Each structure stands twice: as C-alpha cells, then as structure tokens.
Amino acid sequence: MKVVVAMVEPMEPTKVAGIVERWIGDDGAGGGDSGAVDRHGVRQMRTAWADGPEFITQCPIRPDESYTYRFTVDSQEGTLWWHAHSSWLRATVYGALIIHPKAGSSYPFPNPKREALITLGEWWNANPIDVVDEATRTGGAPNISDAFTINGQPGDLYNCSSSDTVILPVSAGETNLYRVINAAMNTELFVSIAGHPMTVVATDASYTKPFTTSVIMLGPGQTTDVLVTMNQPAGRYYIAARAYASAQGVAFDNTTTTAIVEYKSAGCSSKGGPGRPAMPSLPAFNDTGAATAFSKEIRSPSAVELPGPVEEDLFFTVGLGLLDCQPGKTCAGPNGARFAASMNNVSFVLPSRLSILQAHKSGVPGVFTEDFPAVPPVQFDYTANNISQALQKPVQGTKVLKLKYGTVVQIVLQGTNIVTGENHPIHLHGYDFYILAEGFGNFDPKTDNAKLNMVDPPLRNTVALAVNGWAVIRFKADNPGVWLMHCHLDVHITWGLAMALLVEDGVGELQSLQSPPVDLPAC
C-alpha cells in the first residue's frame, strides 16, 4: 500500500485540523495485497469511516483501487502514528504522526533544541504475510522476528548492519526531545540511552507529570516522549532496545537493536575501536518489576476532571486459549490444538462480506451480533496455575457491545493464565481513557476499588495489562461508531483477542456518525 496525498486543511478553531489522505492499493511486482490504514490514537470525532481496521470500519482497499481518508484532529498534541491494519502488513507499513502545539502555543516544558524520532520496529527475513499465513495454516505460533530496528535499521549488533546504523547528532549542553514509538509487531520493548537519563513528558499524545528514568518500556502501539540533556563527555552512546518477554516458556526475539547518539565534537570511530559507543544497562527480558515500576510513575500533569458517575461497569477477561484442530489433523499448538485468544471467552472473528460499521449503518443483518458479554460468562480463579482445560476453549463469534451515546464506561481488564499469562497491550480505537489503577492477581472490588487514582490518572489509548494482572480504565462514550478494542500484539489479534464497541448516535448532527464517503471500498 502507498499514500499519494497527505494534507492538512486548516479549520476553526485552530486546535482542530482536518486531514485528507488518499491511499492506493499497490499491486507491486507480485500482485499486491489488499489493505487498510489506521491512524493510531487519533481522537477523530464522528468519522469512524476513516479509522482503518479492515472489516471493522471499512472493507480493504484492493490493489490499484484507492480510498481517501478524511478525519479531524481535535485538541490533541504529541506523538501518535499510523499503520496498516490488515493482516500483518503493518510490519513494514507504518510511520509517525506528530501533532505540534497550535499556533501561538508552546510545550508545557522549555522548548528543546531539537527533536528526533525513535521508531522501534520488528523485522523478518521472510515475508511477514507468509509468516502469519503459515501459523494460521498450522495452528501454531508464528516464527519470531529476526531483528528489531530503530528507524528501519537493526544497528551495530547484527551482522552486516553497522554501516547503516542510525546516528543522532547532538551538541554538548543541549536538551533534546525524543519521540519514541513502538511499532513492533509482537514485542514489548525496554529502551535506554547509555549515560543519559530520560525525563518522560508525554505518553500516547497526552502530557504527563515529568519524571526521570534510566529505562522506559513500551508495548506495541504505545508512544513515549522524553527530554534528554546532553551533559556527558563528548563521545558516542548507544540507544538500545530489547524485548520485555513476560510469557513463560514462549520463544521470543532475544536480540538488541541500537542507534547512536553522537556528540558533534566526538568524531567517528570504526566499530570495535576505541570510540565504540557506550552500551546502556537494560533490564532482563523477564523483569516485570522494571516494567511495572515505569508504568506506575506515569501521571497526568495536574488534577483531572474524571467523567462520572459510572453508568456501564464492565469486566473483560483477556487471554489465550485453544481450539480443536480440524478433524483428522494435528495442529502445532499445545496438545495438537490450535492457538486462540479471547475476551470474555469470545474469540473475535472478522466478518468477510461487509464491515461491521457498514452493516450497522445500513441495517444489514447477519454480519455481527450485539451479545458480547458485559462480564465473564464463567467466573473462576483467573490467574491460578492449574486452570481447568475445560476453560481453555473459547467461543468464536463476531460480537459487539452496544453503548448509548454519552455513557460513562468503566472497564476492569483482567488478565488470565489460560495456556500462559502475558502482558497484553490493550488498545481502544477512537478514544483516550484514564487508567485508574493497575495490579497483579485477580481484581477484587472489595479491596482494589480503594486503589483507584481519582486525582491525576494518566490519559492513554493503550494500556499494558500486566502479566496475570488487571487494570481499570474509564472514558465517556461520546464518539459514535464502531470501535475496535484489541491486543496490539498482532499474533494475539490474529488469534481473536479483540472485541468491538458500538456507540450509538446521540441527539442531532454533532452527536451522530457522519454519512459514509462515496469512495468507501467495496468488499
């Protein structure tokens, strides 16, 4: 896929911008793939047609056909990104979406001397579509990636990559703003800069109360803005990223990607020579303590006005599962089964003849049902080590949960230890939400409701749900349309770890979904 037009149309007030992007399905030399493109984290109001996930808000853009996305950016500042939202195309189809302060405004911190992107990716030597197709065929886990990347390059620690390692030039004494995006497919990542503490000032395009740390952790889909002061001896320093892999006994890419912060007065040195960059100390791959300590530091800059009172109090279990293999065959999952994943025991199945949003708007029956459970159909010890095999098999379906416009929603996201526990980056399209609390074990309202931060909780669009833990999020359903909630580990959404919220129209035009565009792709 390729973008041929991207432009900003100024609108009033100046905090609102209209965006027009025209995307063409690229047939390429091999026939090409269909696709769709998501503007991850954009709080676009009433324009769900431009959200992007295939068969949720649109049918895929076919090769040599095009679709023009029209949407607004309203009252947001900071680092977001865009990516393909079709199969595993986003392994290579992604980029940054930076929203600067409106004219006449500034950052809530001293202006940095310079800004730079640090976009983390994941690379396979094979075609990623072939990787996921093979896993789908066998029912097993897909092959792990061969490398991580920073701004598209693996870095010095991989064979034959040194000449293309990304170098960020700096000058002594300056303070720079680094916008870090985790665009990796299936891996949460620790990131650190040798010798240089980072002051976190924003996450997911929302400013935070500044705090200083030596390491940050981002799940796929998350962004983190940091200020870094260049106050070390002139030299070369690695920016390094490697996996945070929380699932026990599961294979992961155990490599490290690097870029180089280079003081202009330091000069260049050959790899392995006296000028070899200093390497930061990164946490161990399974250091859940480090990941948790980082997330607990994130707060809004000041007291917030939380939406309330809560009108929809929901409880969603999140985790893996297994499905029976086809009759007469043995699959590559545990015990000859197929891997699956689910929320509230429903493994999400994408429709194929029409998107959910189109079916909703046109009143077409049979595409989805409105019976996604508001609470788990079966209550059990979600994080136990010996969960019954009878609880491993989810129900497959295309189920949505309907919400009235303006409803204040609170969701407890509960991780499970079915098959294995894992940290899940859960992303909600079309909304930011407040993360009121996070914890380990089973959420207990009798004790854990007292832990809710009702003063300055962080505002995000993706929450890293702790391994065998829980998180409580809250938002107001004031954006009509169909909005996907899913794990941003793409292997898990492939297995069905997703659901959709259907937010009904409110009263009048400004509370209603816009009409579908005339060039909406046909199925």
Side-chain angles (χ1 to χ4, degrees):
M1 298 189 64
K2 58 185 177 183
V3 63
V4 294
V5 177
M7 59 185 291
V8 176
E9 298 176 341
M11 299 176 65
E12 294 295 338
T14 54
K15 67 179 181 179
V16 179
I19 311 294
V20 177
E21 297 177 353
R22 181 170 175 243
W23 282 82
I24 292 179
D26 188 1
D27 63 0
D33 294 295
S34 301
V37 183
D38 167 42
R39 279 131 300 278
H40 183 111
V42 171
R43 181 87 162 95
Q44 52 176 294
M45 304 299 292
R46 303 175 50 239
T47 56
W49 305 107
D51 188 40
E54 67 173 3
F55 293 114
I56 303 298
T57 58
Q58 67 168 93
C59 295
I61 306 169
R62 303 299 181 185
D64 284 333
E65 296 181 1
S66 67
Y67 177 40
T68 300
Y69 292 91
R70 297 174 177 86
F71 58 97
T72 56
V73 176
D74 188 352
S75 302
Q76 288 182 286
E77 295 178 11
T79 306
L80 296 173
W81 61 301
W82 58 264
H83 60 81
H85 214 301
S86 176
S87 183
W88 277 22
L89 287 177
R90 84 166 179 89
T92 55
V93 182
Y94 61 83
L97 198 165
I98 308 302
I99 307 168
H100 292 281
K102 65 182 180 181
S105 299
S106 61
Y107 297 120
F109 45 79
N111 282 336
K113 177 65 176 179
R114 68 185 83 203
E115 300 182 15
L117 278 170
I118 300 173
T119 305
L120 310 170
E122 203 163 0
W123 177 263
W124 281 261
N125 291 331
N127 182 340
I129 303 300
D130 293 339
V131 172
V132 67
D133 285 351
E134 174 69 9
T136 300
R137 184 185 65 81
T138 65
N143 291 337
I144 61 173
S145 54
D146 295 291
F148 298 118
T149 60
I150 295 177
N151 295 355
Q153 298 296 333
D156 279 353
L157 305 186
Y158 298 90
N159 292 333
C160 306
S161 295
S162 293
S163 61
D164 295 316
T165 297
V166 171
I167 295 177
L168 302 178
V170 301
S171 296
E174 67 186 18
T175 297
N176 297 331
L177 178 64
Y178 292 134
R179 302 177 181 271
V180 188
I181 302 169
N182 187 353
M185 292 289 289
N186 295 312
T187 309
E188 293 163 306
L189 292 163
F190 288 120
V191 184
S192 187
I193 306 175
H196 293 77
M198 299 171 284
T199 299
V200 176
V201 293
T203 56
D204 292 356
S206 292
Y207 293 119
T208 65
K209 193 170 294 181
F211 68 95
T212 300
T213 180
S214 62
V215 62
I216 62 177
M217 195 285 284
L218 301 91
Q222 293 184 318
T223 72
T224 302
D225 295 355
V226 297
L227 292 173
V228 181
T229 299
M230 302 304 155
N231 55 6
Q232 296 301 301
R236 307 171 82 225
Y237 299 84
Y238 275 131
I239 304 171
R242 75 177 179 200
Y244 165 51
S246 57
Q248 294 186 7
V250 175
F252 68 97
D253 185 339
N254 195 20
T255 61
T256 302
T257 181
T258 56
I260 298 172
V261 170
E262 183 174 88
Y263 284 68
K264 291 181 179 179
S265 58
C268 298
S269 301
S270 61
K271 179 176 170 66
R276 183 183 177 95
M279 175 64 77
S281 176
L282 286 163
F285 73 87
N286 58 354
D287 193 342
T288 293
T292 303
F294 172 72
S295 67
K296 285 187 174 180
E297 288 284 347
I298 302 171
R299 294 285 185 269
S300 288
S302 57
V304 302
E305 186 176 345
L306 281 174
V310 173
E311 297 163 290
E312 286 281 357
D313 204 348
L314 309 174
F315 192 107
F316 293 173
T317 55
V318 173
L320 305 184
L322 298 171
L323 293 172
D324 293 336
C325 198
Q326 298 93 328
K329 295 185 178 180
T330 299
C331 289
N335 302 317
R338 300 180 63 85
F339 274 112
S342 68
M343 300 180 75
N344 275 359
N345 202 48
V346 178
S347 187
F348 190 77
V349 177
L350 286 173
S352 58
R353 63 185 180 93
L354 201 65
S355 75
I356 295 176
L357 186 61
Q358 289 171 280
H360 162 63
K361 186 69 174 179
S362 303
V364 176
V367 175
F368 64 91
T369 59
E370 297 176 1
D371 57 345
F372 184 86
V375 296
V378 178
Q379 285 75 48
F380 59 98
D381 186 350
Y382 306 114
T383 57
N385 291 323
N386 55 347
I387 295 175
S388 169
Q389 290 188 2
L391 296 169
Q392 292 183 353
K393 185 177 179 180
V395 175
Q396 292 184 291
T398 307
K399 300 176 182 289
V400 307
L401 190 149
K402 182 182 285 188
L403 297 170
K404 292 182 178 180
Y405 181 92
T407 299
V408 176
V409 182
Q410 185 161 296
I411 306 176
V412 175
L413 296 167
Q414 173 68 62
T416 72
N417 200 32
I418 297 176
V419 182
T420 186
E422 189 166 0
N423 188 303
H424 297 277
I426 303 298
H427 171 55
L428 175 59
H429 287 239
Y431 289 90
D432 290 326
F433 49 75
Y434 288 104
I435 304 175
L436 302 185
E438 301 171 83
F440 290 97
N442 298 328
F443 179 81
D444 183 350
K446 294 179 181 178
T447 56
D448 292 331
N449 277 333
K451 302 174 184 177
L452 302 186
N453 178 2
M454 310 297 282
V455 179
D456 58 353
L459 186 65
R460 306 203 67 167
N461 61 56
T462 305
V463 56
L465 177 60
V467 54
N468 287 328
W470 52 266
V472 181
I473 66 173
R474 186 185 294 188
F475 62 96
K476 184 176 182 178
D478 58 359
N479 194 4
V482 175
W483 305 104
L484 189 66
M485 175 182 275
H486 65 95
C487 182
H488 225 284
L489 301 175
D490 271 39
V491 61
H492 290 176
I493 189 173
T494 301
W495 291 341
L497 210 169
M499 60 83 62
L501 299 173
L502 195 166
V503 180
E504 297 179 292
D505 286 346
V507 178
E509 179 183 359
L510 296 182
Q511 294 183 0
S512 300
L513 178 69
Q514 293 182 2
S515 299
V518 295
D519 62 342
L520 191 69
C523 287

